[in-house]
PDB file of all heavy atoms in Angstrom:
ATOM      1  N   ALA A   5     -56.883 -65.751-152.709  1.00  0.00           N
ATOM      2  CA  ALA A   5     -57.432 -66.593-153.771  1.00  0.00           C
ATOM      3  C   ALA A   5     -57.010 -68.049-153.630  1.00  0.00           C
ATOM      4  O   ALA A   5     -57.457 -68.901-154.376  1.00  0.00           O
ATOM      5  CB  ALA A   5     -56.994 -66.065-155.137  1.00  0.00           C
ATOM      6  N   ARG A   6     -56.124 -68.339-152.678  1.00  0.00           N
ATOM      7  CA  ARG A   6     -55.676 -69.712-152.492  1.00  0.00           C
ATOM      8  C   ARG A   6     -56.823 -70.578-151.977  1.00  0.00           C
ATOM      9  O   ARG A   6     -57.583 -70.163-151.121  1.00  0.00           O
ATOM     10  CB  ARG A   6     -54.525 -69.768-151.485  1.00  0.00           C
ATOM     11  CG  ARG A   6     -53.252 -69.121-151.991  1.00  0.00           C
ATOM     12  CD  ARG A   6     -52.226 -69.049-150.879  1.00  0.00           C
ATOM     13  NE  ARG A   6     -51.054 -68.302-151.306  1.00  0.00           N
ATOM     14  CZ  ARG A   6     -50.123 -67.863-150.478  1.00  0.00           C
ATOM     15  NH1 ARG A   6     -50.232 -68.091-149.167  1.00  0.00           N
ATOM     16  NH2 ARG A   6     -49.079 -67.191-150.937  1.00  0.00           N
ATOM     17  N   PRO A   7     -56.935 -71.809-152.505  1.00  0.00           N
ATOM     18  CA  PRO A   7     -58.002 -72.688-152.010  1.00  0.00           C
ATOM     19  C   PRO A   7     -57.790 -73.034-150.543  1.00  0.00           C
ATOM     20  O   PRO A   7     -56.669 -73.314-150.114  1.00  0.00           O
ATOM     21  CB  PRO A   7     -57.876 -73.940-152.896  1.00  0.00           C
ATOM     22  CG  PRO A   7     -56.463 -73.910-153.411  1.00  0.00           C
ATOM     23  CD  PRO A   7     -56.101 -72.448-153.534  1.00  0.00           C
ATOM     24  N   GLN A   8     -58.857 -72.967-149.773  1.00  0.00           N
ATOM     25  CA  GLN A   8     -58.793 -73.271-148.349  1.00  0.00           C
ATOM     26  C   GLN A   8     -59.005 -74.770-148.122  1.00  0.00           C
ATOM     27  O   GLN A   8     -59.912 -75.372-148.691  1.00  0.00           O
ATOM     28  CB  GLN A   8     -59.865 -72.476-147.583  1.00  0.00           C
ATOM     29  CG  GLN A   8     -59.695 -70.972-147.670  1.00  0.00           C
ATOM     30  CD  GLN A   8     -58.417 -70.510-146.987  1.00  0.00           C
ATOM     31  OE1 GLN A   8     -58.117 -70.919-145.880  1.00  0.00           O
ATOM     32  NE2 GLN A   8     -57.679 -69.654-147.681  1.00  0.00           N
ATOM     33  N   ARG A   9     -58.127 -75.361-147.301  1.00  0.00           N
ATOM     34  CA  ARG A   9     -58.304 -76.774-146.977  1.00  0.00           C
ATOM     35  C   ARG A   9     -59.495 -76.940-146.051  1.00  0.00           C
ATOM     36  O   ARG A   9     -59.649 -76.207-145.079  1.00  0.00           O
ATOM     37  CB  ARG A   9     -57.055 -77.325-146.296  1.00  0.00           C
ATOM     38  CG  ARG A   9     -55.896 -77.570-147.232  1.00  0.00           C
ATOM     39  CD  ARG A   9     -54.794 -78.373-146.549  1.00  0.00           C
ATOM     40  NE  ARG A   9     -54.264 -77.674-145.394  1.00  0.00           N
ATOM     41  CZ  ARG A   9     -53.455 -78.225-144.507  1.00  0.00           C
ATOM     42  NH1 ARG A   9     -53.116 -79.504-144.632  1.00  0.00           N
ATOM     43  NH2 ARG A   9     -53.000 -77.536-143.489  1.00  0.00           N
ATOM     44  N   ARG A  10     -60.345 -77.895-146.376  1.00  0.00           N
ATOM     45  CA  ARG A  10     -61.494 -78.155-145.531  1.00  0.00           C
ATOM     46  C   ARG A  10     -61.050 -78.897-144.282  1.00  0.00           C
ATOM     47  O   ARG A  10     -60.206 -79.796-144.333  1.00  0.00           O
ATOM     48  CB  ARG A  10     -62.530 -78.982-146.293  1.00  0.00           C
ATOM     49  CG  ARG A  10     -63.327 -78.162-147.310  1.00  0.00           C
ATOM     50  CD  ARG A  10     -64.306 -79.043-148.043  1.00  0.00           C
ATOM     51  NE  ARG A  10     -65.248 -78.254-148.815  1.00  0.00           N
ATOM     52  CZ  ARG A  10     -66.132 -78.770-149.655  1.00  0.00           C
ATOM     53  NH1 ARG A  10     -66.172 -80.080-149.828  1.00  0.00           N
ATOM     54  NH2 ARG A  10     -66.972 -77.999-150.321  1.00  0.00           N
ATOM     55  N   ALA A  11     -61.658 -78.528-143.175  1.00  0.00           N
ATOM     56  CA  ALA A  11     -61.323 -79.185-141.917  1.00  0.00           C
ATOM     57  C   ALA A  11     -61.790 -80.637-141.939  1.00  0.00           C
ATOM     58  O   ALA A  11     -62.794 -80.984-142.578  1.00  0.00           O
ATOM     59  CB  ALA A  11     -61.974 -78.447-140.753  1.00  0.00           C
ATOM     60  N   VAL A  12     -61.051 -81.474-141.249  1.00  0.00           N
ATOM     61  CA  VAL A  12     -61.442 -82.871-141.056  1.00  0.00           C
ATOM     62  C   VAL A  12     -61.393 -83.120-139.549  1.00  0.00           C
ATOM     63  O   VAL A  12     -60.324 -83.077-138.940  1.00  0.00           O
ATOM     64  CB  VAL A  12     -60.501 -83.848-141.784  1.00  0.00           C
ATOM     65  CG1 VAL A  12     -61.002 -85.284-141.597  1.00  0.00           C
ATOM     66  CG2 VAL A  12     -60.385 -83.500-143.255  1.00  0.00           C
ATOM     67  N   VAL A  13     -62.563 -83.364-138.957  1.00  0.00           N
ATOM     68  CA  VAL A  13     -62.668 -83.497-137.511  1.00  0.00           C
ATOM     69  C   VAL A  13     -63.112 -84.909-137.154  1.00  0.00           C
ATOM     70  O   VAL A  13     -64.020 -85.471-137.779  1.00  0.00           O
ATOM     71  CB  VAL A  13     -63.672 -82.480-136.932  1.00  0.00           C
ATOM     72  CG1 VAL A  13     -63.806 -82.646-135.421  1.00  0.00           C
ATOM     73  CG2 VAL A  13     -63.241 -81.051-137.279  1.00  0.00           C
ATOM     74  N   MET A  14     -62.470 -85.470-136.138  1.00  0.00           N
ATOM     75  CA  MET A  14     -62.857 -86.778-135.605  1.00  0.00           C
ATOM     76  C   MET A  14     -63.418 -86.598-134.200  1.00  0.00           C
ATOM     77  O   MET A  14     -62.822 -85.896-133.383  1.00  0.00           O
ATOM     78  CB  MET A  14     -61.652 -87.729-135.558  1.00  0.00           C
ATOM     79  CG  MET A  14     -61.922 -89.058-134.844  1.00  0.00           C
ATOM     80  SD  MET A  14     -60.403 -90.024-134.560  1.00  0.00           S
ATOM     81  CE  MET A  14     -60.036 -90.576-136.211  1.00  0.00           C
ATOM     82  N   HIS A  15     -64.575 -87.199-133.936  1.00  0.00           N
ATOM     83  CA  HIS A  15     -65.145 -87.206-132.588  1.00  0.00           C
ATOM     84  C   HIS A  15     -65.175 -88.648-132.110  1.00  0.00           C
ATOM     85  O   HIS A  15     -65.703 -89.535-132.798  1.00  0.00           O
ATOM     86  CB  HIS A  15     -66.561 -86.623-132.582  1.00  0.00           C
ATOM     87  CG  HIS A  15     -67.139 -86.458-131.204  1.00  0.00           C
ATOM     88  ND1 HIS A  15     -67.784 -87.478-130.545  1.00  0.00           N
ATOM     89  CD2 HIS A  15     -67.155 -85.398-130.364  1.00  0.00           C
ATOM     90  CE1 HIS A  15     -68.189 -87.050-129.365  1.00  0.00           C
ATOM     91  NE2 HIS A  15     -67.814 -85.796-129.222  1.00  0.00           N
ATOM     92  N   VAL A  16     -64.588 -88.886-130.936  1.00  0.00           N
ATOM     93  CA  VAL A  16     -64.443 -90.249-130.409  1.00  0.00           C
ATOM     94  C   VAL A  16     -65.245 -90.383-129.121  1.00  0.00           C
ATOM     95  O   VAL A  16     -65.124 -89.557-128.215  1.00  0.00           O
ATOM     96  CB  VAL A  16     -62.962 -90.568-130.138  1.00  0.00           C
ATOM     97  CG1 VAL A  16     -62.806 -91.982-129.579  1.00  0.00           C
ATOM     98  CG2 VAL A  16     -62.135 -90.399-131.410  1.00  0.00           C
ATOM     99  N   ARG A  17     -66.050 -91.429-129.043  1.00  0.00           N
ATOM    100  CA  ARG A  17     -66.809 -91.755-127.829  1.00  0.00           C
ATOM    101  C   ARG A  17     -66.314 -93.089-127.275  1.00  0.00           C
ATOM    102  O   ARG A  17     -66.355 -94.107-127.956  1.00  0.00           O
ATOM    103  CB  ARG A  17     -68.307 -91.856-128.122  1.00  0.00           C
ATOM    104  CG  ARG A  17     -68.950 -90.560-128.603  1.00  0.00           C
ATOM    105  CD  ARG A  17     -70.432 -90.761-128.909  1.00  0.00           C
ATOM    106  NE  ARG A  17     -70.985 -89.588-129.573  1.00  0.00           N
ATOM    107  CZ  ARG A  17     -71.593 -88.585-128.938  1.00  0.00           C
ATOM    108  NH1 ARG A  17     -71.729 -88.646-127.616  1.00  0.00           N
ATOM    109  NH2 ARG A  17     -72.068 -87.559-129.604  1.00  0.00           N
ATOM    110  N   CYS A  18     -65.848 -93.058-126.037  1.00  0.00           N
ATOM    111  CA  CYS A  18     -65.433 -94.282-125.345  1.00  0.00           C
ATOM    112  C   CYS A  18     -66.625 -94.883-124.611  1.00  0.00           C
ATOM    113  O   CYS A  18     -67.656 -94.216-124.435  1.00  0.00           O
ATOM    114  CB  CYS A  18     -64.317 -93.963-124.347  1.00  0.00           C
ATOM    115  SG  CYS A  18     -62.842 -93.227-125.087  1.00  0.00           S
ATOM    116  N   PRO A  19     -66.509 -96.116-124.135  1.00  0.00           N
ATOM    117  CA  PRO A  19     -67.607 -96.715-123.364  1.00  0.00           C
ATOM    118  C   PRO A  19     -67.900 -95.909-122.104  1.00  0.00           C
ATOM    119  O   PRO A  19     -67.017 -95.266-121.532  1.00  0.00           O
ATOM    120  CB  PRO A  19     -67.075 -98.106-123.013  1.00  0.00           C
ATOM    121  CG  PRO A  19     -66.025 -98.389-124.034  1.00  0.00           C
ATOM    122  CD  PRO A  19     -65.403 -97.073-124.359  1.00  0.00           C
ATOM    123  N   ASP A  20     -69.148 -95.934-121.668  1.00  0.00           N
ATOM    124  CA  ASP A  20     -69.528 -95.263-120.427  1.00  0.00           C
ATOM    125  C   ASP A  20     -68.771 -95.875-119.255  1.00  0.00           C
ATOM    126  O   ASP A  20     -68.422 -97.051-119.261  1.00  0.00           O
ATOM    127  CB  ASP A  20     -71.039 -95.395-120.181  1.00  0.00           C
ATOM    128  CG  ASP A  20     -71.848 -94.614-121.211  1.00  0.00           C
ATOM    129  OD1 ASP A  20     -71.293 -93.690-121.825  1.00  0.00           O
ATOM    130  OD2 ASP A  20     -73.038 -94.952-121.402  1.00  0.00           O
ATOM    131  N   ARG A  21     -68.527 -95.036-118.224  1.00  0.00           N
ATOM    132  CA  ARG A  21     -67.879 -95.460-116.982  1.00  0.00           C
ATOM    133  C   ARG A  21     -66.488 -96.036-117.238  1.00  0.00           C
ATOM    134  O   ARG A  21     -66.024 -96.922-116.535  1.00  0.00           O
ATOM    135  CB  ARG A  21     -68.742 -96.474-116.220  1.00  0.00           C
ATOM    136  CG  ARG A  21     -70.129 -95.955-115.873  1.00  0.00           C
ATOM    137  CD  ARG A  21     -70.910 -96.910-115.007  1.00  0.00           C
ATOM    138  NE  ARG A  21     -70.301 -97.044-113.685  1.00  0.00           N
ATOM    139  CZ  ARG A  21     -70.814 -97.780-112.706  1.00  0.00           C
ATOM    140  NH1 ARG A  21     -71.947 -98.446-112.915  1.00  0.00           N
ATOM    141  NH2 ARG A  21     -70.211 -97.860-111.534  1.00  0.00           N
ATOM    142  N   LEU A  22     -65.819 -95.532-118.270  1.00  0.00           N
ATOM    143  CA  LEU A  22     -64.453 -95.949-118.547  1.00  0.00           C
ATOM    144  C   LEU A  22     -63.538 -95.412-117.449  1.00  0.00           C
ATOM    145  O   LEU A  22     -63.604 -94.230-117.108  1.00  0.00           O
ATOM    146  CB  LEU A  22     -64.007 -95.398-119.900  1.00  0.00           C
ATOM    147  CG  LEU A  22     -62.642 -95.853-120.420  1.00  0.00           C
ATOM    148  CD1 LEU A  22     -62.732 -97.306-120.881  1.00  0.00           C
ATOM    149  CD2 LEU A  22     -62.193 -94.961-121.572  1.00  0.00           C
TER     150      LEU A  22
END
Side-chain angles (χ1 to χ4, degrees):
R6 292 172 186 167
Q8 298 295 313
R9 285 191 299 169
R10 284 179 169 173
V12 183
V13 179
M14 172 190 288
H15 187 275
V16 180
R17 297 178 189 266
C18 301
D20 292 339
R21 302 186 66 177
L22 186 73

